[in-house]
Amino acid sequence: MPMYLYWYYNTLHGNGYAMVLNNASSRIAHSTISDNTHGVVINSSFPDFCADGGGGGYNAITCSITPLFRADNSSNVNMGYWSQGGYNSVFGSELPDMEARNSSGIWADRTYWGSDQPAIYADATSWITARFPLASDPNPGSCLGYSAPSSFDINSTANKANESSTQGGNASKYAAAIANGREGYFQKAKETLLTLIDGEYDYKYSPLALLSFYEFTLNEKNTKNQSGLTDSLNAGLNDLLAKVCKRAKGDSLIPYALRFLAREAALAHNARGMISYNTEIITNYPNSSNELSALYDLTTHYAEIEQDFTKADQYYSRMVTAYPKEDLTLFAGINLGSNQASLKQVMLADADHLLTDYDLSNAFPNPFNPITTITYQLPKEGLVTLKIYDILGNEVRTLVNEQKEMGRYTVTFNASSFASGMYVYQLRANDFISTKKMLLLK
């Protein structure tokens, strides 16, 4: 059975959300996605915005008030890799044209950005490539409501993060594995990725390595499907995921493996397995992007498959409480057919994506050892300080102390030199102050 759902020669225009992909492996080409209020939201998915055989995508994804692309929660998006794919037009958002969060990546080589500088943002766990930008639009006339250049002024932190995305030991290994995988040398790629998966945990490249190992196994299964050689690939993938799940409790890679096991169970129509894996994530890994995805999958399953709206509403209530500003919470509410009051609450939460409020997110992971990430949001520019204090109130580290523009930022805290215990982190920006706790366990 083909791996991809093909979407060719489509027009999506004037909608609320242009497209939502969840646990999807779609191939999209020769399509116009323009003048929608929100862009393409990609969650735990592996779409290709290019034609079969490495052909150009020739998609025009243009003009919205939120990011045209948001890859989230362990997603890998292929729009163009070196000489493969490309020829997509991406421009005209009032925020970043592309955003990658929570161990996600977007290959966007040979893209037309509408200006000399692509407006892209990747948090500390993710990456976006934007090599070989096109000088002219391969898909002219697609954006009816706005002029081409994005109004988002990309911050220097995001630029530096993307420029250094292939530097360093683990980064170089990851880049080499991706190069081999994109050329079809799947075994060689997966051997390199295994060194990152089995080695010392790297908050960025260990989850990305597991994500790419999973994606390349899917690609390999697809190419060998006609020969009936997929059983060994399935066994090898499941053995690796099971091995990761047997690591010591608290290992940061376990919830990612559980997510992929849940996805495989769902694809095999094993509802009991899917529910079990997602429940384990919710129980053991709260306040994380993995919990958010698990909650969404269970809400959708109980509402649409089992028609058990009592259970669906239980999971949805947790989403509204813990993740009121996330796209998945909005979509879950719509799928569930929330009452008018609940739906209004979620819609108001979604409006916060326009960065109208300050926000300090929960550190992730938490508890952690020794690295965690802290994300904060600024609705306007100002002097920002982000400081760490011990439980006695002594300042032990300053993570940020500088002028920042409007936007969403992610900072890494490495506590390798600190003793185990409770720590407090405090964000100050203009008149806004927020304080939260995190637990270091060594």
Side-chain angles (χ1 to χ4, degrees):
M1 183 176 180
M3 169 185 165
Y4 291 102
L5 174 65
Y6 288 82
W7 288 13
Y8 282 19
Y9 299 101
N10 288 283
T11 298
L12 300 174
H13 175 81
N15 299 302
Y17 277 84
M19 178 184 294
V20 179
L21 301 176
N22 181 61
N23 285 320
S25 298
S26 304
R27 188 180 290 280
I28 301 162
H30 301 282
S31 294
T32 299
I33 305 171
S34 69
D35 294 281
N36 300 287
T37 305
H38 303 276
V40 178
V41 177
I42 302 165
N43 183 74
S44 302
S45 296
F46 308 89
D48 281 2
F49 285 79
C50 54
D52 267 336
Y58 294 98
N59 296 291
I61 303 118
T62 59
C63 302
S64 73
I65 63 173
T66 61
L68 294 161
F69 267 88
R70 178 180 288 125
D72 207 346
N73 301 323
S74 300
S75 293
N76 255 1
V77 183
N78 178 27
M79 300 191 69
Y81 179 79
W82 291 99
S83 62
Q84 302 173 8
Y87 294 95
N88 296 291
S89 304
V90 180
F91 60 79
S93 171
E94 296 182 13
L95 289 174
D97 287 331
M98 281 189 181
E99 183 177 274
R101 305 189 304 167
N102 299 316
S103 300
S104 298
I106 304 175
W107 299 102
D109 296 344
R110 298 199 300 169
T111 295
Y112 176 71
W113 300 99
S115 63
D116 295 334
Q117 175 63 60
I120 55 180
Y121 174 78
D123 70 12
T125 69
S126 305
W127 48 264
I128 299 174
T129 66
R131 300 168 294 195
F132 321 119
L134 301 179
S136 59
D137 189 354
N139 310 287
S142 62
C143 190
L144 303 179
Y146 300 88
S147 58
S150 169
S151 62
F152 178 79
D153 185 14
I154 186 170
N155 62 71
S156 59
T157 303
N159 260 328
K160 292 177 181 177
N162 285 288
E163 289 171 359
S164 62
S165 62
T166 57
Q167 299 175 4
N170 287 343
S172 297
K173 286 183 180 180
Y174 182 73
I178 295 300
N180 283 316
R182 291 298 178 196
E183 293 295 328
Y185 302 116
F186 299 121
Q187 285 302 314
K188 188 174 182 180
K190 292 197 292 185
E191 288 172 4
T192 303
L193 293 171
L194 279 174
T195 66
L196 295 171
I197 295 169
D198 293 335
E200 183 178 354
Y201 183 78
D202 183 304
Y203 76 94
K204 180 173 184 176
Y205 291 104
S206 295
L208 288 176
L210 188 63
L211 170 66
S212 295
F213 188 100
Y214 181 80
E215 182 187 15
F216 287 149
T217 300
L218 297 183
N219 292 341
E220 193 174 10
K221 286 165 62 176
N222 190 51
T223 59
K224 293 183 177 181
N225 188 54
Q226 293 180 348
S227 303
L229 300 176
T230 60
D231 288 346
S232 61
L233 293 173
N234 285 332
L237 174 63
N238 289 331
D239 287 347
L240 171 64
L241 297 177
K243 177 183 174 183
V244 172
C245 290
K246 291 179 181 177
R247 293 182 179 182
K249 185 177 180 180
D251 187 285
S252 298
L253 206 55
I254 293 176
Y256 296 94
L258 289 169
R259 284 289 298 144
F260 295 135
L261 285 170
R263 187 179 195 269
E264 286 296 290
L267 292 173
H269 304 289
N270 177 8
R272 180 176 297 181
M274 183 275 294
I275 293 170
S276 176
Y277 292 128
N278 279 321
T279 301
E280 185 174 348
I281 294 171
I282 293 167
T283 302
N284 296 328
Y285 302 95
N287 303 315
S288 68
S289 61
N290 288 299
E291 186 203 17
L292 172 62
S293 291
L295 287 166
Y296 178 78
D297 286 352
L298 291 181
T299 300
T300 303
H301 171 79
Y302 281 113
E304 297 186 358
I305 305 301
E306 296 196 15
Q307 300 285 295
D308 186 338
F309 293 101
T310 300
K311 283 190 175 180
D313 193 57
Q314 290 174 354
Y315 292 113
Y316 172 62
S317 296
R318 166 65 180 166
M319 296 181 75
V320 171
T321 301
Y323 309 99
K325 301 177 183 179
E326 295 293 336
D327 288 315
L328 289 184
T329 303
L330 171 68
F331 303 146
I334 295 172
N335 291 339
L336 190 57
S338 308
N339 62 52
Q340 188 174 4
S342 297
L343 187 55
K344 181 178 179 181
Q345 179 183 6
V346 180
M347 292 297 290
L348 288 172
D350 180 70
D352 286 343
H353 278 308
L354 303 184
L355 304 184
T356 58
D357 294 326
Y358 292 94
D359 184 60
L360 177 64
S361 299
N362 294 318
F364 178 75
N366 186 18
F368 67 102
N369 178 29
I371 295 174
T372 190
T373 58
I374 301 169
T375 299
Y376 62 93
Q377 177 176 295
L378 308 174
K380 62 181 180 179
E381 67 176 344
L383 178 62
V384 177
T385 62
L386 180 58
K387 296 184 178 183
I388 310 297
Y389 300 87
D390 63 22
I391 198 64
L392 298 178
N394 300 308
E395 181 182 329
V396 296
R397 178 74 57 83
T398 297
L399 299 180
V400 179
N401 184 17
E402 60 181 306
Q403 194 79 11
K404 292 284 189 181
E405 296 178 353
M406 179 195 77
R408 186 179 291 111
Y409 298 86
T410 297
V411 180
T412 300
F413 174 46
N414 188 334
S416 55
S417 61
F418 292 85
S420 295
M422 187 70 70
Y423 290 86
V424 173
Y425 57 103
Q426 184 180 81
L427 175 71
R428 289 176 175 263
N430 299 317
D431 296 328
F432 175 79
I433 301 175
S434 181
T435 304
K436 294 192 175 185
K437 295 179 181 180
M438 54 187 172
L439 180 61
L440 173 62
L441 292 178
K442 291 189 173 181

